[in-house]
Amino acid sequence: KIRQIAAELAEKNLRKPRHEIAGQGCLLGLEMLSASDEEVRKRMLESFEHYLQKMLSRVITDVESFTRPAAEWRCTWADAVVHRRHVLDLWGPQPPDGYRDGTDDSMEGMGEEGGSDWLRLGAGITVADGVIDADLARCCRAELAE
């Protein structure tokens, strides 16, 4: 099928005046200005077929071949500050209504403002390395609760 499409493109372009398809900035180089129609046809067919193959290979390449598993990703900073409790704050099970154990300290310096209290609102939040101001997080929590 690719060869057929390449041949159609070549034939379509062969109908154009030679100076429009051969020369600087054109489909074919300057050396093809004086080439026979058969040579031009052959060169265009090869060119279009190569280009179409290249496009197809990019389209059918598995996404996974461009990615790496998360377990292979390493970051010294993240390894030092992200702990199990941060993951649970974001994606842990939602606690039952009215539950508060008072021991949730996952929002470094934010006391009861982090972790399971946020999950009751349907939002997981956690702070690693103190990057969010505790007062700002409390304001956000209050606004979400309304």
Side-chain angles (χ1 to χ4, degrees):
K1 184 78 176 173
I2 286 179
R3 188 158 183 84
Q4 177 187 347
I5 294 170
E8 290 170 10
L9 288 169
E11 290 303 321
K12 179 181 174 184
N13 281 282
L14 276 170
R15 292 186 211 113
K16 296 178 182 177
R18 184 66 57 95
H19 70 274
E20 289 183 19
I21 59 171
Q24 190 171 1
C26 296
L27 289 171
L28 303 172
L30 286 168
E31 74 281 359
M32 297 307 288
L33 277 172
S34 59
S36 70
D37 284 350
E38 195 52 42
E39 290 173 311
V40 171
R41 179 179 285 108
K42 182 180 176 193
R43 177 71 62 87
M44 282 207 297
L45 178 61
E46 290 170 355
S47 232
F48 284 130
E49 192 171 9
H50 175 75
Y51 179 71
L52 290 169
Q53 284 286 359
K54 197 171 182 178
M55 284 178 42
L56 181 62
S57 70
R58 287 182 180 160
V59 171
I60 62 171
T61 302
D62 291 333
V63 172
E64 288 78 21
S65 70
F66 297 108
T67 62
R68 292 177 31 199
E72 289 182 18
W73 182 81
R74 305 300 326 148
C75 173
T76 305
W77 172 83
D79 288 344
V81 299
V82 176
H83 302 285
R84 184 175 187 274
R85 68 176 186 258
H86 295 112
V87 176
L88 290 174
D89 286 348
L90 295 172
W91 299 289
Q94 187 171 354
D97 286 339
Y99 175 80
R100 179 183 294 285
D101 66 6
T103 62
D104 191 338
D105 65 347
S106 62
M107 297 290 287
E108 298 178 7
M110 297 174 66
E112 296 180 354
E113 303 307 320
S116 61
D117 190 46
W118 284 77
L119 285 172
R120 271 193 279 293
L121 299 175
I125 188 168
T126 192
V127 172
D129 208 20
V131 295
I132 295 178
D133 179 69
D135 290 336
L136 173 62
R138 285 185 196 87
C139 287
C140 293
R141 166 64 174 82
E143 194 167 320
L144 279 173
E146 291 178 2

